[in-house]
Amino acid sequence: MTCPVNGPRAISEFAYGGEIRPMPDPTTCSDDAWADYVFNRNGSPGVKREWWCHTPSNTWFVAERDTARDVIVRTYLYAGDN
Amino acid sequence: MSAITFENVSRTPRAGVKGPGAAAWLAALDLPVPRAPNTWLPLPGGLIARLGLTEFLVDGSEAAKLAAPLVPGVYPVLRQDTALVLHGARLNELLLETCSVDFRALDLAARPVVLTSMAGVGVTVIPGEEGGMPCCRIWCDGTYGEWFFETLAGVAGELTQPGHPCNQGVTA
Amino acid sequence: MPWRLLRFALSNKHPEPRMFTRHDQLKPAYDVVIIGGGGHGLAAAYYLARDHGITNVCVLEKGYIGGGNTGRNTTIIRSNYLTPEGVKFYDESVRLWQDLSTDFDLNLFYSNRGHFTLAHTDAALRTSRWRAEVNKHYGIESEVVGPEAVKQAAPMIDLSCGGHAPILGALYHAPGAVARHDAVAWGYGRGADMRGVEIHQRTEVLGIDVVGGKVTGVRTNRGNISTGKVLCAVAGSTPRVLDMVGIRSPIYIHPLQAMVSEPVKPWLDPILVSGSLHVYISQSARGELVMGASLDPYEVQSTRSTFDFPEGLSAHMLDMFPFLSNVKVMRQWAGMADMTPDFAPIMGRTPVEGFYLDGGWGTWGFKATPVCGKTMSYTVAHDRNHDLITGFTLDRFRNFELTGEKGAASVGH
Amino acid sequence: MRLPPQSGEWIVRSKPHGFRFEGRGYTGFEGDTIASALWAGGVRVLGHSFKYHRPRGILSAANHDVNALMQAGGTPNVRADATPLQAGMSLTAVNTYGSLERDAGRFLGWFARFLPVGFYYKAFHSKRLFPLWERMFRAMTGLGRVDFSTPRLRTPKRYGFCDVLVVGAGPSGLSAALAAAEQGADVVLVDENARLGGSTHGATELISKVTTHPNIRVFTDTCAAGYYADHWVPLVERDRISKMRARAVVVAAGAYEQPAVFRNNDLPGIMLASAAQRLIRRYAVRPAQRVVVLAANADAYRALADFIDAGIEVAAVIDLREAVPTEQVAVLAARGIPLHAGHAIVEALPAADGKRVAGVKLAPVNTAAPVTEIPCDGILVSVGWAPAAPLLYQAGTKMRYDAGVHQFVPDTLPDGVFACGRVNGVHEPESRLLDGECAGSAAAAHCGFGTMKAISVPAETASPTHPWPIVPHPKGKNFIDFDEDLQLADLENAIQEGFDNIELMKRYSTVGMGPSQGKHSNMNALRVLARATGSTPGEVGTTTARPFFHPVPMSHLAGRGFTPERRTPMHAIHATAGAVWMPAGAWQRPEYYAVAGQSREECIEGEVRAVRHGVGMIDVGTLGKLEIRGPQAAEFLERVYISKYVGLKVGMTRYAVMCDESGVVIDDGVVARLADDHFYFTTTTSGAALIYRELSRWNTLWKLDCGIVNLTGAMAVMNLAGPKAKTVLASLTDADLSFPYLAVREGSVAGVPARLLRVGFVGEWGVEIHVPAEHGAAVWDALMKAGQAHGIRPFGVEAQRLLRLEKGHLIIGQDTDGLTTPGEAALDWAVKMDKPFFVGQRSLKAIAGKPRRQQLVGFMLSADHAGEAPKECHLVIENGDIAGRVTSIAWSPSLSRHIGLAYVQPDIAQAGQKFSIRLSDGSMVTANVVKTPFYDPDNLRQKEAT
């Protein structure tokens, strides 16, 4: 795994933060939509945008990772949803 | 084979600062600011290290300068870490046995700062060379300090025993 | 010497018939299609045929039967869960387990060894008492015992665990057992096969046809099938199948790794689990130490191995059993676990009519194999959730009514 | 049996080593393996087989002779064929009852026919009898014994780094390493043997080039145990592991020579030709006097030379091939050795004692022609090879079956992985050198050193492997798997029973599941399956090759096993004060302070009394301490905590509860406002690291104009509490202590800048004193000294638990669980649903309408309660059903009552209601629901100093 700030490190230096999932507007969304956001996951294999943290430096960043092969496609600092 | 010497330099004055305005603020205090993340620059009687993008550590007498009034976007970081200086021919072996970073691959001329984990403890490391032998300065959270020191000293002790599996020249 | 073996001896040609009929073609239609030829799917097929007289059934297996988590788990069987739903459910499972060898006329090596969940902190000790009290309430042998009882069952253990995690006590569950995992799939497979169920290996499901919210068929790499009922029993790959019918679920996949030592003369009778040290261990009938730990910390949909795993697990093993220093680890492997937010399975009917789910099995699927077969076959046969699984339905998440199994699951397998 | 000195032999004749085996004394040499020394000593039976306890000798002498596992003192399962002999060793065979001589297990051989494949699935399973049978199995099973007196061995583990890692130092590996090094790459070359060269002997010039090359580091006696992602390969040495991170890996692991399958092919004296060569060249041991060679490839004829040089009489060569190449025929003709082409061994004949081979029966392949016999005391087999490909499989290499060489070879290799030599299907000596150079050059080029050389490796002219070295026999004993005692018929039967998939066959028959992991059995098993199912080996495919290549000791895997420990600055002081420690994550915290002559309970009660009536102090430095600054600091806290902080006055604190997105309580602490844009706040001890990380993630997402600083390790904290606390503190501070309850001030204590938080956790006038860690010990000491006059006592976690319980304060994780909402935990008052947003708010809104499952209430036992009191997690029972559970309970010295907290159904949660708690023994205890706090209900004591 390559931290965008600290460079390539052993995976043991990183913490996994789960897939990046846009939050629906809590004020307008339905209970169902909210429950879907809170609990449901995109559990199928594929390339996902995930939160990862380099723990010694507490650096959060985004990793695009193919969960089928456990291969990291690229990593970069978070710059807003897209 | 020469031992590894440990020096506890936790008493040297130290100060930290972080935030989007930190770099500019330090410059305004006439401190040299390392450009690249995770690099350091020497200071009279100490050094200034850039930890990641927007955090800085000033070690040595110059740390006093950071007492200056803050400005928006600058947040002081109280530094109470344990600081060690390690030096010796077998230092690299000690690092290999406690840390997954390949320090020998680093370009010392670029003055690298390494934030990593050593023996399971988060550390900040500045590798260097002195008298033809590797040395490094390590900071870690003070509450881990005692255990960290004892553990490293223990490993270092083994490394000075002849016949120790990691003391065969072929793999040094 | 049992007479069965004499019979083998007296005939020169091996008398045993095929356990599984080979079927060269899929039929165009089945009453029920079961996706997944692991323990759960085959058990459901077995009980559908045996208890509900539904035999026009096919089991579709992408690889070979029992090749998924059925053949990758550490074969621990117990029922000392935390929630009433969980306890009743697994208790029924243990009851079924005890008679399976006889039902199948196949030796599953169901071995009652006793199960200790070690507590290294007062918090763990509290959870142990909580589980023990709930278990006893439902008539399950389960009690909190002191370190001395652990020492008695495993005299050679280091109660201080290398000084890092002193053992303060344990939850003791006498019925805790292990079984020969592959044989479970074979037993259910043979039983289903004998009753007319078709098992199709190397058959991959490519899609599921849903018309008007109702299942109508299944598309495979060996042709299409029409059917009104599909049971999904593919723990480890559930989300992929759910995508085929457009159902969203909380299931996410983390690998669970395990390793086994070279055979040594048996020295460990009970099954030991340590939540704090993330170790569970038992010794197989071959003399191998079968060892597992906690889930890998991030999502991966492959059975790749990591080296961190045997490193960490061995360190903790030696904290408990320093004298194993010279014992060698022979092999490591991994399985894919269907995780859910509340560490309980997701079972039963779904928003898609005729599509039944048996997933979210986390790390507890093996021990539930028989009761899953029972309850899911009932649910499929009557299109009505079996009483034992009403706490495990998918809609509990939409209703914010999670089950509280987290407490128990967090202290291991 | 020792030959005259051989050129390049590994033994050191000047260093004889005495050792014992099965109670008898022998002498070998430095450089011997255990097996070679025993063979030299005339020992032929090195062990008994796993199932039938048949005598077995040397098969491969290449670290997969699992029938020659030995117990060396406390060490089980020592591989005699690969373990260096040491002086004074005392060895026994592992799988015997009694001794190797009189093995009570031999009878199992007679019962062989009663034990067909999978027999244990088919019997012994009457519910009543199984436990008995199982006890019998467990008595017989297993190999070596573990020695409970073995200490924990802490072997070093280190990381290693290189450009090109070459696995295997045979001809191809050597030439690969050299090629890569020549192009400038930093090369590591590993081999499991004690010396370089692999199957070739000598190759001295190449070896010296390699060993003297500055770019090459050589690891001998080292096993590349597995391949892991990103080219991590753990190198297992005798007494440590190097976790090698390479930029490219060249697999030159060679091939395992494969046994032929015929009746009694396991008799001692029958071994692979390569094994015989090793005995001769490395250890100068004569494998036998008069041998028959079973051949099917050129390697056999190359080996012949060695045998003859060693003075072995070659009685005959039996070649499975009809057409033997003329140059090979010539080798024999020159020496007058009879050749039986197109013949096979149908049976090996045992000597009278059944413990060694005494002859062979041979017959033409595939005919019923008459059988001839040849007496001999050794059969040397060279009929083919199987690639040592596990690392390639683990790296994700696609392999294909190459009918030209009758083996699996790499088809597509993953990025940065290369293969050469026999594992790559290249067997001719010259070709292996070229293939290695090619792979080494490519690997170096992959790492950016030089360009890949264009080298063409000539194709093999003849297959080094025979496609069917298997001869059926009505009486069986033709073994395919020597680890598991599996005969040809066992596999055929497994297939017939429906286990006709390679994985199923493996699992049912256990072929390849023994300690050698199928190194000598998988290929033949696969051939049997292919033939039985009318498919090609390629179609059948192989089983997955899991790590490890060879078994690895747990001590090596565990290494030193670092377990970091955290200590607060006052740790040493607590120790001298008699602290009894309890672990809290990585921390050690004083549970209580032991007082001579007092019980645990008395000590704790004494500490409680000190706080209630005098003054006490506790080290709470393990709490998470965070600081947040910036214009939007308040906004940030507003979003992560369930209460409001925008309106919090500067100089005041407020209790803070955090939920996760599903509305479950996950943490609590205190937030202090030091300035409009500056807050200082605490988290639970266990939550500290995770909460800081999670808050950092939220702010990475929200990008609010504020910065969070983690001061957990940088600040020491002590809570000084009790009626006399104010007096004690006043003597050491310049701060005006009249500031109100829940306020925060900055001032100096004992000359040290401090933050003073007026808290009431334990229910007396109390203040949390936060100072920089370096001053923690000094401040603690000063306060203790100042408090002496007032009988100050340090108190531990247990006393604090009791004190807070008297105040009805909950502990996250004890009085809440993984599903508790603020409402259930009686924290509704803290939830501000009228805020625009906080994490978990929307979920709480969604469940607001639903009936509550449970409610946290305070309870008391009746004042006259006698006998056993309930314990935490005892259940609340209403009309026979579970209606809740106790989360906290203790005897309150202050109230002389048992008090506690419990979750109960809402319908019995009203003050004044009663419920019953069931003890472990089943008896019931009645509890009364009461309002909290139990002690000082109006919180007068903590507000004002008395």
Side-chain angles (χ1 to χ4, degrees):
Chain A
M1 174 72 81
T2 301
C3 168
V5 176
N6 294 279
R9 294 299 169 81
I11 195 73
S12 53
E13 286 193 15
F14 296 89
Y16 171 66
E19 189 177 8
I20 298 181
R21 302 170 305 121
M23 184 201 296
D25 179 347
T27 55
T28 58
C29 76
S30 68
D31 285 3
D32 281 5
W34 185 256
D36 178 72
Y37 162 73
V38 171
F39 296 116
N40 288 344
R41 296 290 179 270
N42 158 26
S44 292
V47 175
K48 304 184 181 181
R49 289 180 75 229
E50 302 172 325
W51 283 115
W52 283 82
C53 179
H54 179 247
T55 52
S57 64
N58 196 50
T59 310
W60 280 101
F61 60 94
V62 181
E64 289 177 8
R65 189 173 63 98
D66 180 351
T67 62
R69 297 177 302 133
D70 193 17
V71 171
I72 290 123
V73 182
R74 63 191 188 115
T75 60
Y76 49 90
L77 292 171
Y78 181 81
D81 280 311
N82 47 43
Chain B
M1 128 183 358
S2 76
I4 298 168
T5 59
F6 284 66
E7 189 189 352
N8 189 330
V9 293
S10 304
R11 291 251 162 260
T12 50
R14 238 168 302 139
V17 54
K18 74 196 254 186
W25 183 71
L26 290 166
L29 298 174
D30 304 322
L31 284 164
V33 179
R35 262 222 190 64
N38 296 332
T39 59
W40 63 280
L41 291 171
L43 293 176
L47 60 86
I48 177 170
R50 183 170 196 150
L51 315 176
L53 297 172
T54 60
E55 182 168 356
F56 296 86
L57 163 63
V58 177
D59 191 294
S61 47
E62 294 288 285
K65 283 192 179 170
L66 272 65
L70 300 168
V71 301
V74 181
Y75 315 118
V77 179
L78 176 65
R79 303 300 306 216
Q80 294 280 299
D81 1 35
T82 294
L84 302 171
V85 173
L86 278 59
H87 182 238
R90 303 287 293 148
L91 176 57
N92 190 64
E93 184 59 34
L94 176 71
L95 294 174
L96 287 175
E97 288 196 35
T98 51
C99 180
S100 65
V101 172
D102 182 6
F103 283 92
R104 275 189 311 186
L106 300 173
D107 170 16
L108 296 183
R111 299 213 175 93
V113 175
V114 180
L115 281 69
T116 181
S117 132
M118 201 178 279
V121 175
V123 291
T124 300
V125 184
I126 292 184
E129 207 173 270
E130 208 176 291
M133 280 194 290
C135 68
C136 70
R137 190 172 267 264
I138 305 176
W139 294 264
C140 79
D141 183 319
T143 57
Y144 283 110
E146 276 181 31
W147 180 88
F148 184 69
F149 180 90
E150 291 159 10
T151 303
L152 258 53
V155 177
E158 284 183 26
L159 287 176
T160 61
Q161 293 161 13
H164 183 267
C166 295
N167 292 343
Q168 290 131 14
V170 64
T171 57
Chain C
M1 183 68 55
W3 68 271
R4 282 287 298 276
L5 294 188
L6 275 164
R7 209 184 72 218
F8 295 133
L10 301 179
S11 70
N12 258 334
K13 189 81 202 91
H14 205 289
E16 291 292 285
R18 271 188 77 88
M19 280 204 196
F20 324 106
T21 323
R22 211 190 272 107
H23 303 282
D24 298 329
Q25 290 202 325
L26 289 161
K27 288 196 288 183
Y30 296 90
D31 297 342
V32 179
V33 171
I34 296 172
I35 306 175
H40 285 218
L42 293 166
Y46 174 85
Y47 293 114
L48 267 176
R50 198 194 73 174
D51 301 356
H52 304 282
I54 302 175
T55 57
N56 182 23
V57 176
C58 77
V59 178
L60 306 180
E61 169 53 52
K62 187 170 137 203
Y64 56 96
I65 59 173
N69 292 335
T70 301
R72 299 167 185 276
N73 64 81
T74 45
T75 80
I76 296 171
I77 296 160
R78 59 177 179 89
S79 64
N80 57 344
Y81 280 71
L82 181 62
T83 60
E85 304 89 326
V87 172
K88 287 186 234 164
F89 182 78
Y90 288 100
D91 183 41
E92 174 62 14
S93 203
V94 168
R95 230 189 308 280
L96 291 164
W97 270 112
Q98 287 161 348
D99 293 315
L100 274 191
S101 292
T102 322
D103 294 0
F104 295 162
D105 187 20
L106 188 76
N107 192 348
L108 304 186
F109 272 64
Y110 183 85
S111 175
N112 187 339
R113 314 219 64 83
H115 181 285
F116 289 85
T117 307
L118 305 177
H120 304 262
T121 64
D122 57 346
L125 208 49
R126 276 195 297 273
T127 313
S128 299
R129 188 177 295 109
W130 187 3
R131 284 168 65 182
E133 292 304 318
V134 174
N135 294 166
K136 284 187 288 184
H137 185 78
Y138 293 100
I140 287 159
E141 288 181 75
S142 185
E143 59 180 322
V144 176
V145 298
E148 65 290 342
V150 176
K151 190 78 180 170
Q152 199 173 10
M156 57 308 279
I157 194 170
D158 172 1
L159 284 177
S160 83
C161 293
H164 308 313
I167 294 169
L168 306 180
L171 176 65
Y172 176 59
H173 179 50
V178 292
R180 182 81 180 78
H181 50 9
D182 299 322
V184 178
W186 305 335
Y188 275 119
R190 182 172 68 170
D193 181 278
M194 286 189 313
R195 292 167 173 81
V197 172
E198 292 184 8
I199 300 169
H200 292 270
Q201 306 186 66
R202 292 184 171 170
T203 306
E204 181 172 8
V205 171
L206 308 174
I208 299 170
D209 301 317
V210 179
V211 178
K214 197 177 176 326
V215 166
T216 60
V218 174
R219 279 170 276 125
T220 82
N221 61 336
R222 292 176 54 217
N224 298 349
I225 309 165
S226 67
T227 182
K229 291 184 169 185
V230 169
L231 169 59
C232 169
V234 296
S237 309
T238 306
R240 265 190 282 176
V241 176
L242 290 183
D243 284 357
M244 295 178 186
V245 290
I247 293 177
R248 288 188 41 84
S249 86
I251 297 171
Y252 55 98
I253 311 293
H254 281 220
L256 182 68
Q257 302 192 60
M259 68 187 195
V260 62
S261 78
E262 282 189 334
V264 289
K265 292 282 176 223
W267 57 273
L268 181 70
D269 280 337
I271 304 155
L272 296 182
V273 175
S274 162
S276 306
L277 294 178
H278 306 295
V279 170
Y280 48 101
I281 172 176
S282 67
Q283 188 168 22
S284 78
R286 289 167 58 87
E288 299 163 339
L289 298 173
V290 183
M291 299 164 274
S294 52
L295 288 165
D296 287 10
Y298 55 96
E299 178 183 3
V300 174
Q301 274 106 341
S302 83
T303 54
R304 60 97 175 93
S305 293
T306 68
F307 191 61
D308 296 17
F309 170 76
E311 288 182 288
L313 179 50
S314 299
H316 288 142
M317 281 293 299
L318 295 188
D319 285 343
M320 292 166 74
F321 306 109
F323 55 85
L324 293 180
S325 289
N326 287 322
V327 171
K328 300 197 193 88
V329 176
M330 188 164 70
R331 183 170 67 251
Q332 71 174 119
W333 68 92
M336 293 183 282
D338 263 18
M339 300 310 298
T340 63
D342 58 1
F343 295 105
I346 301 177
M347 301 177 72
R349 302 173 72 244
T350 67
V352 175
E353 198 183 333
F355 184 84
Y356 306 89
L357 179 57
D358 171 33
W361 277 110
T363 60
W364 327 276
F366 178 70
K367 52 184 71 63
T369 303
V371 72
C372 285
K374 272 269 186 190
T375 53
M376 288 315 295
S377 61
Y378 174 95
T379 303
V380 170
H382 299 88
D383 190 36
R384 185 171 70 246
N385 288 333
H386 189 286
D387 291 347
L388 280 174
I389 67 170
T390 48
F392 301 140
T393 53
L394 178 60
D395 55 16
R396 70 177 186 271
F397 298 101
R398 206 183 65 228
N399 304 331
F400 291 84
E401 286 164 356
L402 279 57
T403 74
E405 218 35 89
K406 225 169 185 164
S410 60
V411 294
H413 309 261
Chain D
M1 302 301 284
R2 211 54 96 156
L3 298 163
Q6 305 286 303
S7 77
E9 68 185 14
W10 292 7
I11 53 169
V12 184
R13 296 180 186 248
S14 58
K15 289 191 183 162
H17 288 335
F19 68 103
R20 303 186 73 73
F21 173 62
E22 292 283 318
R24 283 215 195 87
Y26 299 89
T27 308
F29 295 111
E30 174 91 19
D32 259 322
T33 63
I34 294 167
S36 66
L38 285 171
W39 207 261
V43 179
R44 287 293 169 272
V45 181
L46 302 185
H48 280 175
S49 67
F50 185 62
K51 187 165 152 196
Y52 303 134
H53 289 248
R54 288 169 63 89
R56 298 273 165 91
I58 290 176
L59 171 65
S60 71
N63 203 357
H64 43 101
D65 288 359
V66 169
N67 296 134
L69 289 185
M70 295 182 179
Q71 184 83 24
T75 311
N77 304 351
V78 169
R79 295 206 175 171
D81 63 328
T83 308
L85 179 71
Q86 290 162 26
M89 273 183 154
S90 178
L91 305 154
T92 52
V94 291
N95 194 31
T96 61
Y97 315 116
S99 70
L100 199 52
E101 276 294 304
R102 305 187 187 55
D103 178 0
R106 274 171 307 173
F107 76 90
L108 283 163
W110 315 327
F111 286 109
R113 65 182 315 177
F114 294 89
L115 310 175
V117 65
F119 71 95
Y120 39 79
Y121 293 125
K122 296 168 181 169
F124 310 109
H125 55 284
S126 89
K127 199 172 169 180
R128 189 172 49 83
L129 289 181
F130 176 71
L132 289 149
W133 289 116
E134 188 189 25
R135 227 166 290 136
M136 184 187 92
F137 289 139
R138 282 179 89 88
M140 300 189 341
T141 193
L143 295 170
R145 278 189 175 64
V146 294
D147 170 2
F148 299 133
S149 68
T150 308
R152 162 115 187 220
L153 307 176
R154 295 187 185 274
T155 59
K157 201 159 50 173
R158 62 199 291 279
Y159 289 88
F161 305 89
C162 67
D163 296 321
V164 177
L165 171 65
V166 180
V167 178
S172 64
L174 287 164
S175 112
L178 191 59
E182 289 295 329
Q183 281 175 225
D186 169 27
V187 177
V188 164
L189 174 65
V190 296
D191 194 283
E192 63 177 276
N193 290 293
R195 304 206 188 172
L196 305 183
S199 56
T200 59
H201 200 59
T204 46
E205 195 197 340
L206 182 54
I207 289 176
S208 59
K209 271 195 195 148
V210 164
T211 46
T212 56
H213 199 293
N215 288 5
I216 302 178
R217 286 173 284 163
V218 174
F219 288 61
T220 51
D221 270 324
T222 301
C223 167
Y227 174 96
Y228 298 89
D230 304 328
H231 305 322
W232 282 105
V233 178
L235 305 181
V236 179
E237 303 162 73
R238 291 236 174 267
D239 38 23
R240 71 169 186 186
I241 284 182
S242 295
K243 296 194 275 181
M244 192 58 64
R245 172 82 190 267
R247 296 169 61 202
V249 176
V250 178
V251 177
Y256 327 108
E257 187 156 42
Q258 296 293 294
V261 179
F262 51 85
R263 177 168 168 77
N264 292 335
N265 60 338
D266 63 330
L267 283 171
I270 303 176
M271 68 179 75
L272 301 169
S274 53
Q277 285 176 296
R278 288 189 187 92
L279 284 177
I280 295 166
R281 292 160 158 184
R282 296 178 178 178
Y283 315 110
V285 172
R286 179 186 287 119
Q289 300 289 350
R290 183 170 199 272
V291 304
V292 167
V293 173
L294 179 63
N297 56 26
D299 298 295
Y301 294 82
R302 292 191 198 101
L304 265 171
D306 289 336
F307 304 154
I308 293 158
D309 295 350
I312 297 170
E313 178 192 352
V314 180
V317 171
I318 302 167
D319 198 313
L320 297 172
R321 302 169 298 178
E322 286 295 343
V324 181
T326 49
E327 74 277 11
Q328 294 169 12
V329 176
V331 174
L332 303 185
R335 299 179 167 84
I337 299 172
L339 168 67
H340 304 269
H343 278 59
I345 295 179
V346 294
E347 177 177 4
L349 303 167
D353 64 1
K355 292 184 178 177
R356 63 180 64 192
V357 62
V360 298
K361 279 188 181 173
L362 62 146
V365 178
N366 308 331
T367 65
V371 171
T372 51
E373 292 189 15
I374 304 172
C376 64
D377 68 344
I379 302 175
L380 308 182
V381 178
S382 179
V383 295
W385 306 84
L391 265 61
L392 289 174
Y393 282 107
Q394 288 154 25
T397 308
K398 245 191 225 56
M399 306 281 284
R400 66 180 168 81
Y401 187 78
D402 181 333
V405 288
H406 291 301
Q407 82 175 59
F408 285 88
V409 297
D411 189 10
T412 43
L413 286 154
D415 192 40
V417 176
F418 305 84
C420 58
R422 288 190 189 267
V423 76
N424 197 30
V426 176
H427 292 259
E428 281 303 312
E430 283 312 309
S431 310
R432 278 148 74 189
L433 294 172
L434 289 172
D435 199 35
E437 187 179 356
C438 184
S441 166
H446 174 86
C447 303
F449 298 94
T451 54
M452 180 183 166
K453 291 188 196 157
I455 299 167
S456 73
V457 181
E460 297 291 302
T461 50
S463 173
T465 296
H466 193 279
W468 188 251
I470 296 168
V471 179
H473 194 288
K475 296 234 226 41
K477 293 292 183 302
N478 40 6
F479 290 93
I480 284 184
D481 189 315
F482 291 68
D483 297 21
E484 301 280 306
D485 270 354
L486 291 170
Q487 315 165 50
L488 177 56
D490 292 325
L491 295 191
E492 292 172 339
N493 292 331
I495 294 162
Q496 179 196 319
E497 287 178 34
F499 299 88
D500 49 8
N501 163 305
I502 187 73
E503 290 285 355
L504 284 176
M505 182 176 77
K506 170 181 174 177
R507 284 168 163 69
Y508 185 66
S509 68
T510 70
V511 64
M513 290 177 75
S516 79
Q517 295 285 288
K519 289 184 173 66
H520 64 263
S521 59
N522 281 349
M523 205 50 222
N524 281 337
L526 190 150
R527 291 190 175 104
V528 171
L529 178 57
R531 181 163 286 202
T533 54
S535 40
T536 67
E539 289 162 340
V540 167
T542 58
T543 57
T544 27
R546 300 278 176 202
F548 300 118
F549 189 81
H550 292 311
V552 181
M554 282 204 210
S555 56
H556 285 51
L557 293 167
R560 289 191 175 81
F562 296 121
T563 313
E565 292 166 20
R566 280 185 102 166
R567 296 166 196 166
T568 71
M570 291 83 104
H571 188 89
I573 301 177
H574 301 322
T576 42
V580 175
W581 301 103
M582 69 184 284
W587 299 98
Q588 291 289 322
R589 301 192 66 186
E591 182 185 1
Y592 65 95
Y593 295 81
V595 177
Q598 287 190 16
S599 72
R600 176 180 180 277
E601 288 62 31
E602 289 166 332
C603 295
I604 295 169
E605 211 174 309
E607 293 173 12
V608 170
R609 215 176 299 107
V611 176
R612 287 281 177 248
H613 305 295
V615 56
M617 185 159 64
I618 180 172
D619 180 353
V620 288
T622 61
L623 292 173
K625 284 141 286 176
L626 304 176
E627 193 164 52
I628 181 166
R629 297 177 188 245
Q632 291 185 291
E635 165 67 12
F636 182 85
L637 295 173
E638 203 80 349
R639 292 193 192 187
V640 296
Y641 284 113
I642 65 176
S643 306
K644 293 187 176 175
Y645 300 92
V646 171
L648 180 64
K649 288 197 190 58
V650 172
M652 293 305 289
T653 70
R654 183 168 291 163
Y655 182 58
V657 174
M658 193 181 290
C659 288
D660 66 14
E661 286 193 300
S662 67
V664 168
V665 176
I666 55 169
D667 201 64
D668 71 348
V670 170
V671 169
R673 188 166 206 166
L674 302 174
D676 279 343
D677 62 351
H678 182 193
F679 295 80
Y680 178 72
F681 59 108
T682 61
T683 75
T684 59
T685 295
S686 53
L690 287 172
I691 296 296
Y692 171 58
R693 190 185 300 159
E694 184 60 5
L695 294 186
S696 309
R697 190 181 69 86
W698 282 120
N699 210 31
T700 309
L701 182 64
W702 293 335
K703 303 192 173 331
L704 295 179
D705 183 0
C706 58
I708 311 165
V709 175
N710 184 358
L711 297 176
T712 301
M715 296 290 267
V717 191
M718 53 220 92
N719 181 3
L720 182 74
K724 306 240 172 63
K726 192 173 185 176
T727 325
V728 172
L729 181 56
S731 66
L732 286 172
T733 182
D734 56 357
D736 167 11
L737 296 183
S738 65
F739 62 98
Y741 177 53
L742 297 184
V744 56
R745 294 288 181 273
E746 301 192 79
S748 85
V749 175
V752 172
R755 287 174 181 163
L756 309 174
L757 279 64
R758 280 277 280 107
V759 294
F761 192 55
V762 299
E764 301 294 340
W765 191 95
V767 58
E768 256 181 29
I769 303 163
H770 296 245
V771 299
E774 60 190 320
H775 304 302
V779 172
W780 176 279
D781 279 336
L783 285 163
M784 287 304 285
K785 197 172 280 100
Q788 254 167 18
H790 308 278
I792 191 170
R793 278 182 72 163
F795 63 102
V797 176
E798 276 309 316
Q800 178 179 247
R801 272 200 185 140
L802 200 151
L803 291 160
R804 66 88 203 183
L805 180 58
E806 290 181 333
K807 293 302 296 178
H809 293 307
L810 59 84
I811 295 177
I812 303 293
Q814 173 171 346
D815 303 300
T816 65
D817 61 49
L819 291 174
T820 311
T821 60
E824 290 172 338
L827 294 169
D828 316 69
W829 59 271
V831 186
K832 301 298 177 223
M833 295 304 280
D834 58 346
K835 288 202 287 183
F837 171 84
F838 65 85
V839 176
Q841 182 186 38
R842 183 65 182 83
S843 295
L844 292 177
K845 197 178 293 176
I847 59 176
K850 303 178 187 295
R852 240 172 228 182
R853 294 179 304 131
Q854 53 178 10
Q855 183 66 59
L856 188 69
V857 298
F859 70 85
M860 275 190 183
L861 303 189
S862 60
D864 56 4
H865 174 80
E868 200 197 334
K871 292 196 177 67
E872 284 150 3
C873 285
H874 274 142
L875 298 179
V876 174
I877 302 293
E878 283 301 301
N879 356 325
D881 239 329
I882 299 178
R885 78 177 199 280
V886 175
T887 61
S888 293
I889 183 167
W891 166 260
S892 161
S894 318
L895 291 85
S896 308
R897 290 279 287 270
H898 282 97
I899 59 170
L901 299 174
Y903 280 101
V904 297
Q905 289 169 1
D907 59 348
I908 48 171
Q910 296 312 311
Q913 287 183 293
K914 292 185 181 318
F915 60 82
S916 27
I917 303 166
R918 185 169 59 202
L919 307 184
S920 298
D921 64 8
S923 59
M924 293 292 190
V925 172
T926 306
N928 310 287
V929 179
V930 297
K931 284 206 156 29
T932 59
F934 302 94
Y935 171 81
D936 182 25
D938 304 322
N939 300 333
L940 299 172
R941 299 177 64 88
Q942 63 218 53
K943 288 182 179 149
E944 276 320 311
T946 49

